Amino acid sequence: MAAASFKAHHEIGVNGSIVAQLLSGLNGWSVVLTLFLMLVAYDQFSYIWNKGSIAGPLFKIPFMGPFLESVNPKFSEYKAKWASGDLSCVSVFHKFVVIASSRDMARKVFNSPSFVKPCVVDVAQKLLRPDNWVFLDGKAHVDYRKGLNGLFTRKALELYLPHQEDVYDKYFEKFLKISQEIHQGKHTPFMAEFRELNCAISCRVFVGHYISDEAVKKIADNYFNITAALELVNFPIIIPFTKTWYGKKAADMVLEEFSKCAAKSKTRMAAGGEVTCIMDAWIKSMNESQAWRDKGEDTTGTKPSILLREFSDLEISMTVFTFLFASQDASSSSTTWLFQLLADRPDVLEKVREENLLVRDGDKHRRLDMDMLEKMTYTRACVKEILRYRPPVIMVPYMAKKAFPITDTYTAPKGSMVVPTLYPALHDPEVYPDPETFNPDRWITGDAEKASKNWLVFGTGPHYCLGQVYAQLNLMAMVGKASLHLNWDHQITPLSEEIKVFATIFPMVRAISEQPSKDTILIDVREPAEFAEGAIPSAINIPLNSQPDALLLPPADFQARFGFAKPPLDRKVVFYCRAGVRSKAAAQIAVQGGYERVGDYSGSWLDWAERSAKK
């Protein structure tokens, strides 16, 4: 027994010394390295397991994946991914993404609400509010949507036309002033002007004249911050002075303005006012529903087709905000492409002009109505071809609510992002011959209208775009009226029809600006409305109040936001405003952004205008 006891103690002592030696050989760095390698292995294993048999990189860059590509996405990289297979994948940080590239795969995702639901970036709920209707799913979403369908009927759309046409008149006059008076007929970027035009149209159609011109301008100037905040790669939390912070401030401002409009509309509709906008129409339906419920057992009269509950001012504001969210960037993209491509094809523009004069019986000042729009066969073909050739939305993100068997051989894991793509279906050469050519005639004499399964511009399934008819009619009305009252041309560059991806797709063009010297860039930091009223020749407009982070942006983000190149860091930049206050602040920001040769015209616009008057 003693020998056995001694042997046992001896073995324990030996083993204990081995453990002690192993522990003594460890230090903090080796523990950290071991844990890091284990996490890398787990990250790779998870990716390979989720990838299965579909196309995609064999391995991922540890943790971040193709993060750097996502920061500045290139359209050529998207096309390469789509061409790699009907299903492909990437993994960025914790997000595993399945990309459905073919028409049939995309349609399957759109039409599988039991497996997937629409999703957006993490910060979206903070901007749009967590209880917004767009985040509803299943029956709750269907029921809510039914109450909105009546806002986009033919009868309703005709009520909105006067507001649209008033905006066209106002902005076409402004466009002429910008082109002829400010820029003396020289070519100048108009993408920012098209964004403001579309924001003004949306506000007038959605909330009518309950909102002031000043508030519309404020929303137009600040809406870009909302777009930037909702980029795929961004901070998931709101940190002061980041894109998400500026986006949240802009979103709160829009919601506040729309809430005020809802209160005004409720008062006017309760007094028996006529419907003039989407908000009026919706609130009138709420009032009619409540009046029916108040009748109790009395069933005389016509029961509303949909009985709506009463929505609060904030709920109405959030819903209308989603209409703006869905339309602003997409409409701005389509407007930019439409005006550019028609300018580059004068024969097409002339046909649009002839048709629009014809449907107005030769009177170019005749006001629009739905009958006219429905007779615009060729104009409609141009709009549909723009939407096919350069679809404003190229992908729509969904999230798998549970394991989603997309094919017999592949199941997307629960929680993964599943992204149907629209561009390949709209550029399928078997359906649209010569798909890389802009050809409106394919919608008149060709078979394009028959390809309904490929027409995914507005999605399909339970989440298809409610406003798709309105969106197309608005583009038709806009360019049709422009063809009669404006002449425009476009300075073609090698990049004119190349694609820049930023929320939607825009032409990848560079600004051509006259500068006071080859080395100095003059920057007007007043707001666009001030700049439009008069500016120092050769100055470019980078507004300080609405775009305070402009000179801190990466060049690609700056180009996407403003439509022209960011001033290079090695150039001298000179700032001015109205009286010299904002220009000083802008100069300080420029120094923070890496500019070393910074000037401030202290007298600014007032001084220049006074000196010019004396000459």
Side-chain angles (χ1 to χ4, degrees):
M1 288 292 292
S5 176
F6 172 79
K7 183 177 180 181
H9 282 294
H10 176 71
E11 290 177 351
I12 291 172
V14 171
N15 292 337
S17 65
I18 294 172
V19 172
Q21 290 175 11
L22 289 172
L23 290 175
S24 66
L26 293 176
N27 56 44
W29 286 111
S30 59
V31 171
V32 169
L33 179 60
T34 301
L35 290 175
F36 175 77
L37 291 174
M38 290 174 65
L39 289 173
V40 169
Y42 175 76
D43 186 51
Q44 294 293 336
F45 176 80
S46 297
Y47 167 72
I48 294 170
W49 178 266
N50 289 333
K51 175 182 177 296
S53 60
I54 64 176
L58 292 177
F59 302 98
K60 65 175 284 192
I61 299 173
F63 307 119
M64 70 176 187
F67 168 75
L68 297 178
E69 294 177 14
S70 302
V71 173
N72 184 24
K74 294 180 174 58
F75 187 71
S76 59
E77 294 171 352
Y78 282 127
K79 290 187 73 174
K81 177 62 69 175
W82 300 334
S84 66
D86 289 356
L87 292 176
S88 59
C89 68
V90 294
S91 181
V92 181
F93 292 119
H94 65 292
K95 293 282 188 183
F96 182 75
V97 183
V98 178
I99 301 167
S101 301
S102 69
R103 179 199 70 182
D104 293 340
M105 289 295 99
R107 291 184 66 87
K108 182 162 188 178
V109 176
F110 280 129
N111 289 294
S112 298
S114 60
F115 288 100
V116 296
K117 64 178 181 179
C119 71
V120 284
V121 295
D122 295 337
V123 77
Q125 291 199 6
K126 297 180 176 68
L127 270 63
L128 302 178
R129 303 295 173 90
D131 47 350
N132 198 304
W133 81 284
V134 295
F135 301 119
L136 296 176
D137 190 30
K139 187 176 185 300
H141 175 268
V142 172
D143 290 344
Y144 200 108
R145 189 183 177 95
K146 285 179 180 178
L148 302 175
N149 286 334
L151 307 178
F152 297 96
T153 63
R154 186 185 188 280
K155 181 180 179 181
L157 294 178
E158 187 149 37
L159 290 174
Y160 312 147
L161 270 177
H163 282 322
Q164 293 168 248
E165 195 159 16
D166 287 345
V167 176
Y168 304 153
D169 291 341
K170 176 181 176 181
Y171 275 84
F172 291 168
E173 183 178 346
K174 178 183 176 182
F175 289 176
L176 285 172
K177 182 176 181 180
I178 292 171
S179 178
Q180 300 304 312
E181 297 181 22
I182 297 175
H183 293 284
Q184 300 296 307
K186 296 173 183 174
H187 291 95
T188 185
F190 258 81
M191 190 173 77
E193 305 304 331
F194 291 145
R195 287 180 65 89
E196 184 179 327
L197 164 64
N198 278 283
C199 186
I201 294 169
S202 295
C203 286
R204 289 292 173 228
V205 169
F206 299 161
V207 301
H209 284 278
Y210 298 120
I211 191 169
S212 67
D213 288 342
E214 293 74 19
V216 170
K217 183 67 172 64
K218 187 178 180 182
I219 292 173
D221 288 344
N222 287 274
Y223 192 87
F224 193 94
N225 291 324
I226 297 172
T227 303
L230 294 172
E231 288 179 292
L232 179 62
V233 180
N234 238 325
F235 287 107
I237 58 175
I238 295 175
I239 300 173
F241 306 109
T242 61
K243 291 180 184 178
T244 52
W245 185 76
Y246 286 117
K248 180 66 163 62
K249 288 184 65 177
D252 289 347
M253 178 269 293
V254 175
L255 286 170
E256 181 180 357
E257 290 292 342
F258 285 177
S259 291
K260 294 176 186 175
C261 294
K264 295 175 185 176
S265 178
K266 283 181 177 180
T267 300
R268 185 168 169 274
M269 289 297 99
E274 293 295 319
V275 171
T276 61
C277 61
I278 281 177
M279 189 174 279
D280 281 348
W282 195 25
I283 290 173
K284 183 179 181 181
S285 295
M286 295 178 205
N287 293 344
E288 291 172 346
S289 296
Q290 186 58 48
W292 178 266
R293 284 191 289 266
D294 290 343
K295 291 171 65 174
E297 296 182 0
D298 180 3
T299 58
T300 58
T302 303
K303 180 181 178 180
S305 57
I306 299 291
L307 287 176
L308 303 177
R309 66 174 175 86
E310 183 175 352
F311 293 86
S312 69
D313 294 347
L314 179 58
E315 286 178 310
I316 295 171
S317 174
M318 288 191 297
T319 300
V320 174
F321 185 20
T322 63
F323 296 162
L324 182 64
F325 173 70
S327 65
Q328 174 61 13
D329 291 306
S331 296
S332 299
S333 167
S334 296
T335 301
T336 303
W337 286 111
L338 186 58
F339 274 78
Q340 175 179 305
L341 291 175
L342 264 59
D344 295 345
R345 296 156 176 81
D347 57 321
V348 175
L349 178 56
E350 186 57 31
K351 289 181 182 179
V352 170
R353 186 173 284 126
E354 290 173 357
E355 180 178 73
N356 275 266
L357 191 61
L358 180 64
V359 299
R360 290 171 171 82
D361 296 326
D363 180 5
K364 72 176 185 177
H365 299 290
R366 182 177 170 185
R367 306 304 280 178
L368 283 164
D369 59 42
M370 288 295 289
D371 288 339
M372 282 187 213
L373 287 170
E374 289 170 352
K375 293 176 183 177
M376 295 180 189
T377 305
Y378 190 77
T379 308
R380 176 180 176 275
C382 289
V383 167
K384 294 206 71 169
E385 182 66 354
I386 281 287
L387 295 172
R388 183 207 67 81
Y389 180 62
R390 291 293 182 261
V393 178
I394 56 176
M395 298 177 290
V396 182
Y398 281 73
M399 186 187 74
K401 299 186 288 187
K402 55 186 177 181
F404 177 21
I406 304 179
T407 69
D408 294 338
T409 59
Y410 183 75
T411 298
K414 177 182 178 181
S416 61
M417 188 179 287
V418 185
V419 183
T421 59
L422 316 183
Y423 192 93
L426 295 164
H427 285 251
D428 184 345
E430 294 184 6
V431 178
Y432 303 108
D434 197 11
E436 301 306 321
T437 297
F438 175 77
N439 177 19
D441 288 329
R442 73 172 80 243
W443 298 95
I444 300 173
T445 59
D447 294 329
E449 286 287 1
K450 299 176 182 178
S452 58
K453 287 189 175 182
N454 283 66
W455 181 249
L456 296 177
V457 174
F458 298 98
T460 187
H463 291 276
Y464 76 90
C465 177
L466 271 174
Q468 59 178 302
V469 175
Y470 160 73
Q472 294 175 79
L473 291 178
N474 177 51
L475 289 170
M476 290 167 58
M478 182 197 305
V479 78
K481 188 175 182 71
S483 72
L484 296 176
H485 296 272
L486 301 175
N487 288 312
W488 68 95
D489 63 14
H490 170 241
Q491 186 166 325
I492 300 174
T493 75
L495 297 176
S496 290
E497 293 192 28
E498 295 298 313
I499 293 173
K500 167 66 182 176
V501 181
F502 180 74
T504 177
I505 62 174
F506 289 96
M508 189 182 289
V509 295
R510 294 183 299 171
I512 301 173
S513 301
E514 284 191 18
Q515 302 299 343
S517 75
K518 292 182 178 180
D519 190 50
T520 302
I521 298 176
L522 184 61
I523 301 176
D524 186 324
V525 298
R526 298 175 299 162
E527 293 305 297
E530 298 172 270
F531 182 78
E533 291 174 0
I536 300 175
S538 80
I540 60 175
N541 183 216
I542 305 177
L544 175 67
N545 289 347
S546 59
Q547 308 290 341
D549 63 334
L551 292 179
L552 305 178
L553 294 171
D557 290 352
F558 184 98
Q559 170 93 37
R561 180 179 300 188
F562 290 97
F564 57 88
K566 180 181 178 181
L569 294 178
D570 62 350
R571 298 282 286 277
K572 181 179 180 180
V573 289
V574 177
F575 298 91
Y576 78 94
C577 56
R578 180 178 182 274
V581 177
R582 285 172 286 181
S583 62
K584 287 183 174 63
Q588 293 174 359
I589 293 174
V591 172
Q592 297 173 18
Y595 292 89
E596 296 181 355
R597 297 191 294 159
V598 177
D600 169 31
Y601 180 12
S602 58
S604 284
W605 169 251
L606 293 180
D607 178 72
W608 187 89
E610 182 180 352
R611 290 172 183 268
S612 298
K614 293 177 180 178
K615 292 180 180 180

